[in-house]
Amino acid sequence: MYRVLLILFTLLIYGSSMATHNRAGEIIYWFNPDDGRYWVKIITCTKTSSPADREFLEIDWGDGSPTDSIQRSSITFLPNADAQRNEYIGSHLYLGAGIFTMSVEDPNRNGGILNIDNSVNQPFYIYSTLVINPFAGRVNNSVQLLNPPKDNACVNKPWIHNPGAYDPDGDSLRYSLVECLGQGGQPLVGNPWGYVFPDEICPSASNNFWIDAATGDVHWDVPPACQGEYNIAILIEEFDRETGAFMGSVLRDMQITLVNCSNDPPDLQALADTCVNAGDTLALTFIATDPNNHNIGLSAFGGPFEVTNSPALFTQPINSPGYSEGDFYWETNCDHVDAAAYQLYVRGEDGGGDVDLVDITTMNILVVGPAPQNPAATPNGNTIELSWEPSVCGNVTGYKIYRRTDLYGFVPSHCETGVPSYTGYTQIGTTTSLTDTTFIDNSNLSQGQQYCYMVVACFADNGGAESYASVEFCAELRRDVPIITNVSVGETNTTTGRDTIKWLMPTDLDTINTHPGPYYYEVYRGTGYGTPGTLVHTTPTNAFLANVDTLFIDNLFDTETTPYTYRIDLFSNGILAGQSQTASSIFLQTTPDDNEITLTWQEQVPWTNTEYEVYRFDGLQFNLIGTSTTQMYVDSNLINGVQYCYYVRSIGSYSSTSLPGIYYNYSQEICDAPLDLTAPCPPELTVLGDCELEENSLSWTNPNNSCTDDVIAYNVYYSPIDSVEAEDFELIASFSTALDTTMLHNNNGSIAGCYMVTAIDSVGNESEYSNQVCIDNCPQYWLPNVFTPNGDGANDLFVPLPPIKFVDSIELEIYNRWGQVIFKTTDPMINWDGIHMESGEAVPEGVYYYLCKVNSIRLSGIDVIELKGFFHLFRDGKGKVN
C-alpha cells in the first residue's frame, strides 16, 4: 500500500511539473547563405509561477530526421502578467526540396483557459511551414511577428490586436483564424468540446470575433462578461507576389486575458495608405485621444523599422492627459524600393486605468523608384532613337520602354507606378542594366504618325518593383517618302471594279543634292493583305516633284470578293528614292442571324481610323444607319428572308501635326438576308415528385414570355439515374405548342430520375438544356410481426405489409429458433404458407427470425436495405397482424 501511494505521489509531482505553463508562441525561420542552413527562433510565452520551466525544447524539422533539443537563449519577464517570453535558437540542414512542417509540442497549456476544455491537460502545439522550391528562384524566410502574443481585453470594450507581421521577402500575406492545436498537431479534444472560438463562449448578437484577412487586424467587437483567459491561433500564409505560389506559413498561438474594468480604450487616428519617392523623407503625425483622460503611450513597429539601411524613427513629442502625438520619420533611399508596401503599425496604450487598453492602426507605405529623367526621341531614317539619363538608383536592373501613337497626356496618380494599360501604351522593349539607357525603335514605323514613348526603371531584385513612368516624349519620322492616304472602293463588281488610290508627296526629301529630278511614281498592287508585287501604274515624269500626279484610279478587276493592298514607290532621276507604307481597301463581311445582320470589316492602313459610318440601301439610295468606333456593327430589327445591302465609310487621319487632313475611304458593297440561326433561351424546369401516386409532375416556363418570341414546341429528356452528362438522357416526350408546359411521368412505377427540357423555335432551332431537376424514390417495404397460416382465409400467407413501393427484388431467408433456414425467396411478395421448404411439412407455432435484403430502386441505382426481425406464427388464428 505504501508503494502504491508513493507511486501516485510521484506521478502527481511529475504531472504538475509537466503541466500548466504554456500561454502562447510561434516559430519563425530564416535562411543563412553562409552555412546553407535554416535557422529557427522558437518563441514561447509561459506562466512564470508554474513549476514547469523548459531549459530545452524539442523541435521536429518535418523532414523525417530526428528531433533536436534546442537550448533557451533568453528570458524576458513581462510585468504584472505572471508571464515570461522565452527564446530558443537553432538551425537545421535540409537536404532537398519539399514542403516541411517544423513543429514544437510541449505539455501542457496553462489551466483555466475558458475556450479550451480542460486546458491544463491539453498539449501546446505550434508549427511553421517551410517551402524549399529550386524553381522559385529564391529561398524563403518566414514572417517576423513584431507584436507580443499576449494581450488584455475588457468586458464590453472593443478590442483590437495585430501580430505585426513583417515579411523580409516582400511576399503577399493572408491572415486567418484557425483552431488551436494539441497532441500531434490535431484538434484539441474534450467533453463537450475541445476548442471553440472566443465568441462561442457566452454567445450574443454583438459578441463577434473576427480577423481582417488583408491587414491581420483581429477584432473582438464587444467582449462578453465571461472573464478569464482565451487562446486563439492566427495562421499567416505567404504567397509570391508575381506567381501567386505558396511560400510558407507561421501559426501563432496567443492568449487574451479578459477582465471587467472601468477603463475605455484610447482612440488612435488612422491615416490613409501612402507612398513616397525613394530619396524623399516621409513624415507623419499620429494623434491619439483617451476618453478617460489617461496618458497614452505611443509606439510603432513594422517593416520601415526592420530595414537595416536608414530605418524609420518614431518619437512621442506630446503626451498629456487625454491627448498624445507620435511622429513617424523615415529618410527613404533606393534600397527601400519594393513592389510590396511596407506595413506600419502604430500602437496606443493608455495608462492609469485598472487595466491598460490598446488601439492599433495599420497603414501601408509604398516606396517607389524615381522616374527616368530627360528622355529624348530622335528620328533617324525609318527608326527613332531613344535615350534617357541613368536612374539615380544604383540598384536599377534595367528599363522597360513603352510606345503609343500620339500623345496621351499621362500624369501618374498618387502611388501609380509603371505604365497602366488604359493609356494605350504597349511595351516594345527592355534594356538590362542601369547604364543601358538607349533604345532604337524600328518596329513598323510610318511617316505621318507621331510616336510617343515612356520609360520605366525596373528593380528586379526588389520584388520586381517598377518606378514611376518618365514623362511622355514624342517624335515623327522625316517625311522623305510618299504618304498614302486613300485606298477606297469606287465600284463593286467582279470584273469592272474600281479602287481609288491617293498619296501625299514627300516634303522632307533632299531634291537638290541627294534626289534631283526628274520624278515619277510607280503604283504596286497586291491581292488581299499580301505584299504589293504587281506594278499597275506609272505616273508621267516631271522635272518638279510638286507637279507629279498623286492620284490613281485602278479599275477593271474584282473588288467584290477580295480586298487589295497598294504601295507607292518614288523614283528620282530613275533611281528609287523611297517607298510609302502599304495600305489596303476596307473589306466588309456579313453574318446573318435572326432578324439581324452582323457587319464586320478589316483594313490594314498606316493612318488611324477613329470612326466608321455604316450605310444601308433603301431601294433608291444608301442611307447612314449608324456609326461605330470598332470594326463591327449589328443591324437589327430586320425581316428574315429580305435582302439588305451595305457599305462602310472610314474616317481617319495621321497623328502628325503637319498632316491635319481627314481621310475618307469606302468599302465594297455587300448584300445579305437575315436568317434565324439563334436557338431560343431554355425554359426553367420544376419537378414535383409524388411517392403516393408514384408519378412526377413536370412544369416549365414558356420562353416566349421572357426572352424570345418564336418558341413553338418542347422536348422532354429523362435519365433514370443521377447524371450530369447529356448523353445519358433520352427523349421521352415532345409537345407541339408553346402552351404545353406540363406533363406527368413515371418509369414503370418508379419516380426516380432526372429531367431536362428544351425549347424549339419556328425554324427548328433547339435551345440548350434547361436546368436539370432530379427526383428520388421513397422506398417502402415492411414485414409483419404475426402470421396465421390456419386456412381460415385471413392472414394465411406471410406477405409484406402494404403499400410496397419502389422495390426491384428481395433476398429473404427465414430461420427457426435453432438458426436453420426454413424458407427463402427473391419474390418481393414472398407468399409463404408456413411450409418448410425442404421437408414439405407445416412448421410449428413459435417465433421465427428473418434476414431480408431489399433491393430498392433509387436515383443512384439499386440501393440495398437490410431488414432484420422476428414474427410470431400462430395456427389457431388468434394472432393479430401488426
Side-chain angles (χ1 to χ4, degrees), residues 280-594:
D280 292 345
T281 297
L282 180 64
L284 303 171
T285 297
F286 292 86
I287 297 174
T289 57
D290 187 80
N292 307 119
N293 221 31
H294 295 147
N295 286 335
I296 309 161
L298 294 178
S299 59
F301 52 94
F305 302 97
E306 300 302 313
V307 295
T308 56
N309 187 340
S310 186
L313 301 174
F314 188 83
T315 60
Q316 187 175 359
I318 299 176
N319 187 8
S320 58
Y323 181 86
S324 182
E325 288 187 5
D327 288 340
F328 172 83
Y329 182 84
W330 191 14
E331 292 184 358
T332 64
N333 58 47
C334 293
D335 289 337
H336 301 148
V337 173
D338 203 291
Y342 294 84
Q343 280 196 311
L344 169 65
Y345 310 95
V346 179
R347 186 176 189 267
E349 182 174 6
D350 65 4
D354 40 5
V355 173
D356 294 344
L357 295 180
V358 170
D359 190 17
I360 291 178
T361 185
T362 304
M363 70 176 297
N364 295 310
I365 301 172
L366 184 68
V367 181
V368 183
Q373 297 297 306
N374 297 321
T378 304
N380 184 3
N382 290 324
T383 69
I384 296 179
E385 298 177 354
L386 311 178
S387 64
W388 56 94
E389 292 181 356
S391 173
V392 296
C393 288
N395 52 346
V396 163
T397 55
Y399 303 87
K400 292 181 180 179
I401 299 95
Y402 295 81
R403 185 189 75 193
R404 64 164 274 151
T405 301
D406 207 4
L407 192 71
Y408 179 82
F410 176 64
V411 177
S413 62
H414 188 56
C415 302
E416 188 173 25
T417 61
V419 177
S421 60
Y422 66 78
T423 61
Y425 276 86
T426 57
Q427 184 180 342
I428 61 169
T430 59
T431 67
T432 57
S433 72
L434 169 67
T435 57
D436 192 357
T437 58
T438 61
F439 183 82
I440 297 176
D441 184 12
N442 57 5
S443 53
N444 300 318
L445 301 180
S446 300
Q447 280 80 6
Q449 298 284 29
Q450 177 179 245
Y451 295 100
C452 295
Y453 302 86
M454 285 194 285
V455 179
V456 172
C458 302
F459 298 78
D461 299 331
N462 298 63
E466 295 183 354
S467 73
Y468 286 118
S470 72
V471 296
E472 293 178 276
F473 57 109
C474 307
E476 301 176 17
L477 295 180
R478 289 170 51 84
R479 284 184 53 189
D480 54 4
V481 298
I483 297 178
I484 195 166
T485 59
N486 293 85
V487 178
S488 186
V489 178
E491 181 178 343
T492 302
N493 195 279
T494 57
T495 58
T496 61
R498 183 175 72 250
D499 281 347
T500 299
I501 301 91
K502 296 179 182 180
W503 61 95
L504 301 174
M505 73 172 194
T507 57
D508 296 330
L509 187 70
D510 181 2
T511 60
I512 303 299
N513 301 310
T514 308
H515 299 291
Y519 304 95
Y520 65 91
Y521 297 101
E522 290 183 348
V523 181
Y524 288 82
R525 182 179 70 204
T527 302
Y529 303 106
T531 301
T534 302
L535 176 62
V536 294
H537 177 64
T538 301
T539 67
T541 301
N542 196 291
F544 298 100
L545 182 59
N547 293 337
V548 183
D549 288 341
T550 56
L551 167 68
F552 171 63
I553 297 177
D554 194 12
N555 53 34
L556 299 178
F557 64 107
D558 178 13
T559 57
E560 182 176 315
T561 62
T562 185
Y564 295 91
T565 301
Y566 294 85
R567 185 189 74 241
I568 313 301
D569 290 0
L570 170 64
F571 287 83
S572 161
N573 199 21
I575 299 173
L576 180 65
Q579 296 179 323
S580 75
Q581 295 291 316
T582 61
S584 76
S585 57
I586 304 171
F587 190 69
L588 176 62
Q589 295 176 297
T590 56
T591 303
D593 209 334
D594 185 20

Side-chain angles (χ1 to χ4, degrees), residues 802-823:
I804 303 172
K805 290 186 179 294
F806 314 119
V807 174
D808 178 73
S809 63
I810 67 168
E811 299 174 36
L812 172 71
E813 292 182 341
I814 297 178
Y815 304 84
N816 61 20
R817 60 190 297 182
W818 295 281
Q820 298 169 332
V821 178
I822 61 173
F823 178 77

Side-chain angles (χ1 to χ4, degrees), residues 216-282:
D217 288 341
V218 186
H219 298 263
W220 200 348
D221 291 339
V222 184
C226 299
Q227 301 177 53
E229 292 173 336
Y230 297 78
N231 268 65
I232 65 171
I234 305 171
L235 180 63
I236 303 141
E237 299 170 287
E238 305 170 55
F239 300 90
D240 187 276
R241 287 190 178 271
E242 293 187 10
T243 66
F246 175 68
M247 300 302 294
S249 66
V250 170
L251 178 78
R252 159 172 278 192
D253 193 315
M254 71 167 290
Q255 190 168 89
I256 308 162
T257 302
L258 176 63
V259 298
N260 192 21
C261 65
S262 59
N263 192 22
D264 295 293
D267 182 16
L268 185 57
Q269 176 185 330
L271 297 184
D273 295 344
T274 191
C275 62
V276 57
N277 201 56
D280 292 345
T281 297
L282 180 64

